[in-house]
Amino acid sequence: MKSKRVVAMLAAVMMVMSLTAGCSGGSGDGSAQGEESEGGEKILTVYQGTAQYSEMIEQICKDYKEETGVTLEWEIPSDDPYTVLKARFASGEAPDIIDLQCGDYDTWYERCVDLSDESWTGHVYESSLNGGSYDGKVYGLPYAMEGSGIIYNKELFAQAGIESVPTTITELREVCEKLEAAGIQAFGEAWGDWGFLMHILGIPFTYEGAAETSERLTAGEETFSDMEYMDDFFDFYDLTLDYGWGAESIGHHYDDQANSFAQGEIAMIKQGTWHTDTIASINPDMDLGLFAVPLTDDPGQTKLQVSTTRFLSISNTSENQEEAKKFLNWFYENAQTYMIEQMSIIAPYDNLDLSETGALNMDMNAYVEDGMVYDSFGIEEWPSGFNTDQAEPLQAYASGVMDREEACQTLQELWNSRVSSSSSEE
Amino acid sequence: MLRNKGSLKTKNWLVYAVFVGPAVLLCILFIFLPLVIGVYYSLRDWNGISVSSNFVGIQNYVKALTDDKFIGTIGFTLKYAVVMVIGYNVFGLALAMILNMKLKLRGILRAVYFMPIVIGTSTVGYLWNFIIGTFLPFIGKTFGIGFFERNWLAYPETAFLSLVIVSLWQGTGYYMIIYLAGLQSVPSDLLEAAQIDGAGLKDRFFKIIFPLIRPSVTVCLFLSIVNSLKSFDLNYSLTSGGPYGTTQTIAYRIFLDAFDADQLSYASAEAVIFSLIVGVIAIIQVKASRKKEVEM
């Protein structure tokens, strides 16, 4: 009986201890093997961070194989791509080419090959190039430029008798009132997803100067409460709640928002050019437009946030670095075919023909041509981890649990704790 | 004779090694080794990506124990665990009692109640996310049922309730099966004898059935405590820890710190603290309920 008890106890302890197993990670030196299959044909492995480009990737793999004989093994994970990628690096199975986002490079540069001497660097917009750089060196080939703003249903706007897009917060409020009077729900926001709250919280940063504001917050010279456009931000946030799903906005997510919008139940959603294909897949005939989020009554400040969001980098443990560089170059040269014609997404290169890239991109282009653009989402310089943290106080504000001051204070505390943890890592 | 005895001993050892060896090896490889590595990383400042890291001592532990958010998730997890342990065991035992009676559809009903545990928890989470977040409000608005009109996942109390209901829906069948096995080992002659002696339903349950199924109770209590403390996937897929972080369990918090906030060392420290908490609770429980078991 006694030994039975001991065994049971041991079993219990072991089951419990297995808990920590998931959080350990390994000390991989990341020695990826240069893979060559039987016939000696070359293989490049690519790891994609988003499923958005699946269709294009399929086509590229086929065409690249035909043209050069190199096989691309392009992996598209379905969920939580970066967790998987970190595990790959830790276990020494790093892919040759990895797909990263702007803001990733202050941690990921250690794993990437310096691409500063590649010929394409001369044709990429400088602001885009900066997003894939660290300490003056280029580590990523930018390939997607996206604009963040309010997408609106032109048909519903016409029904409510609205003739032009609002360029000030007062005009936006009038638009909401007109829509409400016409029996149309103005907003419908997916504030259950931290990613979209992150986008709108970035707006007051871009208004004030994104990099400088982040710097001042980190240095303690400024707080969220005294950020110049914070009140305007909350005014805008209130509009999306009052004329939308109210406190329940925080129970809504990307999918049901896209559905409701594409079925014409909502007139406006705060999204961006990346939404083109999602909406088209539900309702291809929708008449759409995009306009910049107005926070103030100065139309000169109402510029569209445009940022380079995705980059291709080469893993510095790859044994096929030269082959990978060739592929990046090929990808750059064929951006017109794949990015623009097939995906309707703009690549940030100065030698592309941008006509006919979809309504949202056309509207973004108009802003770019007028120079009415903030060249960031305002979030690039945030301390690591704050992008997910910020959602909690903002959701609490939407529920009425916090007021503006409390929300700002909590944002500040979260910011500070992320700053202190990242500085202790250096 | 002597030689014979000796070889028998070595033979026994060989038999033990063959049976236990593989399991021990797997345990070392997948449980003890990662645990040691986890402790190692908890004493460093690795972010999960960079090539090098430094030794920082117990700094991560100090930070975790003074981190209001982490302490908050411990509180939430304990609250959730208490509700779930009561729920799982009360409903599990009740269902087992009912399905141990001679019902016509007994076999089918047992399968039906057990079925949800077969579906992956994250699948269940996403399905119920749609049911609770979209479908029920639609039903509520269409038929004017005030109770369902609001999106339950948008408010802390109802989000917690959703979590409890879905967990129960999914997990109860599992405990039911363990209790059923226990109930079937209760000899019917004992119960008959008691009945003839005039023992009522209540007496039969508390004086005969319950003491005899104590081993099942121990197992079910242990499993339900550990499983609800470790709860992660449903929080991830059903509520995503929301609204505004009010339904974050410890495991989910550790995941966020490790992979979203890129603080793998800090998360390892949290995980070690978490294991200690679960370990202590589990050992106390096993010890306490073992004492009360009776053997036939």
Side-chain angles (χ1 to χ4, degrees), chain A residues 245-300:
Chain A
W245 284 313
E248 289 198 4
S249 302
I250 65 172
H252 285 275
H253 297 272
Y254 181 85
D255 297 319
D256 69 82
Q257 178 194 38
N259 256 319
S260 304
F261 179 72
Q263 285 166 9
E265 293 163 14
I266 312 165
M268 298 182 277
I269 54 175
K270 167 66 199 61
Q271 285 288 355
T273 49
W274 57 82
H275 229 47
T276 306
D277 273 11
T278 312
I279 297 171
S281 71
I282 308 170
N283 181 356
D285 305 322
M286 212 165 170
D287 199 0
L288 298 174
L290 179 78
F291 63 88
V293 175
L295 283 195
T296 62
D297 274 327
D298 174 11

Side-chain angles (χ1 to χ4, degrees), chain A residues 224-426:
Chain A
F224 273 90
S225 320
D226 34 71
M227 269 173 67
E228 200 178 342
Y229 299 99
M230 214 52 196
D231 254 338
D232 302 311
F233 161 76
F234 278 113
D235 287 341
F236 166 71
Y237 192 32
D238 280 345
L239 274 187
T240 68
L241 299 168
D242 296 344
Y243 290 94
W245 284 313
E248 289 198 4
S249 302
I250 65 172
H252 285 275
H253 297 272
Y254 181 85
D255 297 319
D256 69 82
Q257 178 194 38
N259 256 319
S260 304
F261 179 72
Q263 285 166 9
E265 293 163 14
I266 312 165
M268 298 182 277
I269 54 175
K270 167 66 199 61
Q271 285 288 355
T273 49
W274 57 82
H275 229 47
T276 306
D277 273 11
T278 312
I279 297 171
S281 71
I282 308 170
N283 181 356
D285 305 322
M286 212 165 170
D287 199 0
L288 298 174
L290 179 78
F291 63 88
V293 175
L295 283 195
T296 62
D297 274 327
D298 174 11
Q301 282 185 313
T302 308
K303 302 181 196 173
L304 194 73
Q305 294 173 288
V306 176
S307 173
T308 311
T309 51
R310 303 215 74 92
F311 300 82
L312 288 176
S313 288
I314 302 173
S315 152
N316 60 8
T317 53
S318 161
E319 291 183 0
N320 303 317
Q321 291 182 6
E322 286 313 308
E323 212 42 67
K325 280 183 184 168
K326 271 188 219 157
F327 170 69
L328 290 198
N329 214 29
W330 182 91
F331 186 85
Y332 155 75
E333 280 167 3
N334 292 285
Q336 181 75 35
T337 317
Y338 298 105
M339 290 304 293
I340 299 195
E341 283 164 25
Q342 198 185 343
M343 291 296 298
S344 323
I345 289 177
I346 296 180
Y349 313 142
D350 63 6
N351 47 8
L352 299 177
D353 173 15
L354 298 182
S355 50
E356 294 181 34
T357 52
L360 299 181
N361 281 314
M362 291 307 283
D363 283 355
M364 174 170 84
N365 248 348
Y367 278 99
V368 175
E369 272 165 18
D370 294 346
M372 292 297 282
V373 162
Y374 292 111
D375 59 4
S376 85
F377 281 0
I379 57 179
E380 290 81 355
E381 306 293 326
W382 287 2
S384 184
F386 184 73
N387 56 346
T388 46
D389 286 348
Q390 47 79 31
E392 286 178 23
L394 291 185
Q395 288 174 341
Y397 174 81
S399 302
V401 179
M402 285 185 185
D403 60 23
R404 291 182 184 196
E405 190 46 39
E406 284 166 335
C408 284
Q409 265 171 21
T410 313
L411 284 171
Q412 189 63 42
E413 282 160 20
L414 292 168
W415 183 283
N416 293 344
S417 79
R418 286 306 184 192
V419 167
S420 68
S421 69
S422 61
S423 64
S424 73
E425 265 163 25
E426 270 151 26

Side-chain angles (χ1 to χ4, degrees), chain A residues 19-20 86 392 401 418, chain B residues 35 69 230 244 262-263 275:
Chain A
L19 296 175
T20 37
K86 282 173 205 170
E392 286 178 23
V401 179
R418 286 306 184 192
Chain B
L35 177 72
K69 288 236 70 122
K230 287 198 309 187
Y244 44 93
D262 289 340
Q263 301 183 42
S275 316

Side-chain angles (χ1 to χ4, degrees), chain A residues 1 16 19-20 23-27 80 86 108 110-111 248 250-251 388 392 395-396 399 401 418 421 425, chain B residues 34-35 37 41 49-51 63 69 150-151 154-155 230 244 248 254-255 259 261-263 268 271 275 295:
Chain A
M1 199 52 221
V16 168
L19 296 175
T20 37
C23 302
S24 52
S27 61
D80 227 337
K86 282 173 205 170
W108 279 95
E110 289 184 62
R111 300 288 196 186
E248 289 198 4
I250 65 172
T388 46
E392 286 178 23
Q395 288 174 341
S399 302
V401 179
R418 286 306 184 192
S421 69
E425 265 163 25
Chain B
L35 177 72
I37 297 173
Y41 276 115
I49 304 164
S50 67
V51 183
K63 198 180 141 207
K69 288 236 70 122
R150 17 192 267 162
N151 180 345
Y155 305 93
K230 287 198 309 187
Y244 44 93
Q248 271 182 8
I254 293 171
F255 169 80
F259 298 111
D262 289 340
Q263 301 183 42
S268 300
S275 316
E295 289 209 20

